[in-house]
């Protein structure tokens, strides 16, 4: 059995669905038996749905928002099912209600609590391909829950584990993990193999290739992740995420949030709460005030912040450039995009001088 996941960058237009469908057909034609395909929403669709909801009601309930945001992945699943069916392949699609994944009720970024492979196995008995809407499940009450932004990776890893498969392939607009964002740092180098812990840290500090929750779940359940890219020339295999391998890297978090407080006690109380929910934060000081910079899961974190009642002085967005070198982490908070990119390039050049560069280029 094969587990594939396609990110939203693969679905920029209808041709994207046809391209993925052709790839699936090719895999079946070369002897692969059953295929489960996890899909993300079309690029930008989740943001559009969120904005539309908040335009109607800025105080929309978390469960209402989860149900709305999951629609993006459901549409992608339906469209890809149509494209695959057009090729004469027996195919069906499942959304969060039918995947057999049960979570807690932390709407916005729910945590997987139990899995039942039965529904997917039953679907595979009647179809060669099952398409799964990513980033969604249900809670114990049967309500739809959202696993978080960019969490379709997590769905793919969970499905691989529950079906007792030890690998899954994740396709995005870049073929793998780089020493820096190749869209910002043209000189960034492809990392052929990287350890779970290393890529999870990169993800928590801004790298967008893989969702940190997916990587951490893969490590706990022994699932190897193969990062790939589907191009007009075929498949490009870039990085294998497994138990070993490391590389120095520079990450740029473009959507970090900084909250300032009048006193250190308020900051520490919020930090403790966010830590309980496994949200990455760093302590900062700005203008003689105590601050907390939220690095991961910012949408879910801000929902928690609003419910605390902890007094705060200000909330603002920033960018954080981070150097990850084994256990050493150096962080730079930069408010200006151009300055942040410039600093990231300089730091990368320091780590990887031109004369010393090795490995595959993008």
């Amino acid at each position: 059995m094969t587990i594939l996941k396609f990110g939203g960058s693969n679905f920029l237009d209808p041709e994207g669905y046809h391209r993925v469908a052709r790839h699936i057909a090719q895999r079946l034609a070369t002897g692969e038996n059953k295929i489960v395909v996890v899909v993300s929403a079309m690029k930008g669709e989740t943001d559009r749905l969120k904005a539309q909801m908040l335009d109607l009601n800025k105080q929309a309930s978390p469960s209402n928002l989860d149900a709305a945001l999951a629609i993006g992945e459901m549409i992608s699943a339906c469209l890809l099912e149509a494209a695959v069916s057009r090729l004469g392949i027996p195919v069906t699609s499942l959304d969060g209600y039918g995947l057999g994944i049960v979570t807690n009720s932390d709407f916005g970024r729910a945590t997987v609590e139990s899995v039942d492979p039965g529904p997917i196995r039953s679907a595979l008995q009647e179809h060669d391909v099952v398409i799964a809407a990513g980033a969604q499940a249900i809670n114990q009450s049967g309500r739809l829950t959202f696993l978080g932004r960019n969490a379709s990776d997590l769905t793919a890893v969970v499905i691989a584990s529950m079906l007792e498969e030890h690998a899954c392939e994740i396709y995005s607009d870049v073929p793998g993990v780089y020493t820096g964002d190749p869209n910002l740092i043209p000189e960034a180098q492809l990392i052929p193999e990287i350890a779970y812990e290393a890529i999870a840290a990169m993800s928590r500090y801004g790298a967008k290739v893989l969702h940190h929750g997916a990587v951490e779940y893969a490590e706990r359940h022994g699932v190897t992740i193969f990062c790939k890219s589907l191009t007009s020339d075929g498949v490009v295999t870039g990085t294998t995420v497994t138990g070993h391998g490391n590389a120095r890297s520079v990450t740029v978090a473009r959507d970090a949030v900084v909250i300032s407080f009048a006193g250190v006690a308020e900051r520490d109380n919020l930090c403790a709460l966010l830590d309980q929910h496994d949200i990455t934060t760093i302590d900062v000081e700005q203008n003689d005030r105590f601050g907390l910079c939220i690095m991961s899961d910012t949408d879910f974190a801000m929902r928690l912040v609003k419910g605390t009642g902890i007094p705060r002085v200000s909330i603002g967005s920033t960018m954080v450039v981070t150097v990850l070198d084994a256990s050493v982490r150096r962080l730079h908070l930069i408010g200006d995009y151009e300055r942040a990119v410039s600093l990231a390039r300089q730091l990368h050049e320091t780590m990887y001088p031109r004369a010393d560069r090795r490995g595959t280029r993008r």
Side-chain angles (χ1 to χ4, degrees):
M1 191 181 304
T2 304
I3 314 298
L4 312 176
K5 181 263 173 175
F6 290 89
S9 59
N10 291 280
F11 305 126
L12 300 179
D13 52 35
E15 173 54 28
Y17 293 95
H18 289 304
R19 184 183 302 113
V20 172
R22 290 193 295 270
H23 176 71
I24 293 168
Q26 182 181 26
R27 300 285 290 262
L28 291 170
T30 54
E32 295 186 31
N33 186 18
K34 301 287 186 175
I35 299 177
V36 178
V37 186
V38 178
V39 294
S40 297
M42 291 177 282
K43 193 170 184 178
E45 183 69 5
T46 303
D47 287 332
R48 187 189 68 80
L49 289 165
K50 180 182 177 181
Q52 191 173 21
M53 284 291 293
L54 296 180
D55 280 346
L56 289 169
N57 180 4
K58 294 190 182 301
Q59 304 301 321
S61 70
S63 60
N64 189 198
L65 275 171
D66 273 21
L69 297 183
I71 292 172
E73 279 78 12
M74 291 178 182
I75 293 172
S76 268
C78 291
L79 291 174
L80 184 57
E81 179 184 351
V84 172
S85 177
R86 184 181 181 185
L87 300 178
I89 297 169
V91 57
T92 190
S93 60
L94 300 173
D95 58 25
Y97 292 106
L99 289 174
I101 302 173
V102 178
T103 70
N104 63 11
S105 296
D106 284 344
F107 295 103
R109 200 210 59 182
T111 299
V112 176
E113 291 189 336
S114 65
V115 296
D116 174 12
I120 295 180
R121 290 196 185 280
S122 295
L124 286 168
Q125 289 179 356
E126 298 181 17
H127 304 88
D128 292 339
V129 177
V130 172
I131 299 166
Q136 57 192 261
I138 56 171
N139 65 7
Q140 294 286 353
S141 300
R143 300 202 67 175
L144 198 70
T145 57
F146 196 54
L147 303 181
R149 297 298 297 268
N150 305 311
S152 292
D153 295 347
L154 176 57
T155 303
V157 172
V158 170
I159 289 175
S161 174
M162 66 195 281
L163 296 178
E164 299 181 333
E165 296 295 325
H166 298 290
C168 69
E169 303 172 21
I170 293 182
Y171 291 76
S172 66
D173 56 348
V174 293
V177 181
Y178 285 77
T179 54
D181 184 341
N183 295 309
L184 303 179
I185 306 172
E187 300 81 13
Q189 301 177 47
L190 184 67
I191 304 170
E193 186 173 20
I194 192 167
Y196 297 110
E197 184 179 2
I199 181 57
M202 291 172 64
S203 175
R204 286 182 175 276
Y205 284 87
K208 299 294 187 183
V209 176
L210 288 173
H211 186 272
H212 63 84
V215 176
E216 290 156 0
Y217 195 98
E219 181 176 20
R220 290 196 302 272
H221 295 270
V223 177
T224 300
I225 299 174
F226 296 98
C227 300
K228 300 186 176 186
S229 184
L230 186 61
T231 71
S232 56
D233 297 325
V235 175
V236 178
T237 301
T239 303
T240 301
V241 181
T242 183
H244 47 82
N246 203 354
R248 296 169 296 169
S249 63
V250 176
T251 63
V252 180
R254 284 173 270 187
D255 54 359
V257 175
V258 175
I259 306 175
S260 62
F261 305 87
V264 68
E266 290 87 348
R267 180 187 69 183
D268 290 348
N269 287 338
L270 181 59
C271 183
L273 172 66
L274 297 179
D275 186 59
Q276 289 175 11
H277 288 83
D278 196 30
I279 294 170
T280 304
T281 63
I282 54 174
D283 294 343
V284 297
E285 290 189 21
Q286 291 184 324
N287 303 321
D288 297 323
R289 289 199 177 106
F290 301 98
L292 189 67
C293 183
I294 301 172
M295 297 292 300
S296 68
D297 304 292
T298 52
D299 284 354
F300 180 64
M302 291 310 297
R303 186 178 296 177
L304 294 174
V305 169
K306 291 177 182 177
T308 63
I310 296 174
R312 47 198 179 270
V313 176
S314 65
I315 300 176
S317 60
T318 191
M319 280 162 285
V320 181
V321 180
T322 307
V323 175
L324 296 172
D325 188 355
S327 61
V328 178
R329 291 173 184 155
R330 289 172 285 152
L331 302 106
H332 308 265
L333 273 68
I334 308 291
D336 178 78
Y337 175 77
E338 296 297 334
R339 286 181 54 223
V341 173
S342 176
L343 175 61
R345 289 174 176 169
Q346 292 172 27
L347 292 169
H348 190 275
E349 175 67 25
T350 300
M351 287 195 303
Y352 294 97
R354 294 178 186 276
D356 297 337
R357 287 180 190 152
R358 300 290 185 272
T360 305
R361 300 286 182 84
R362 180 172 182 255

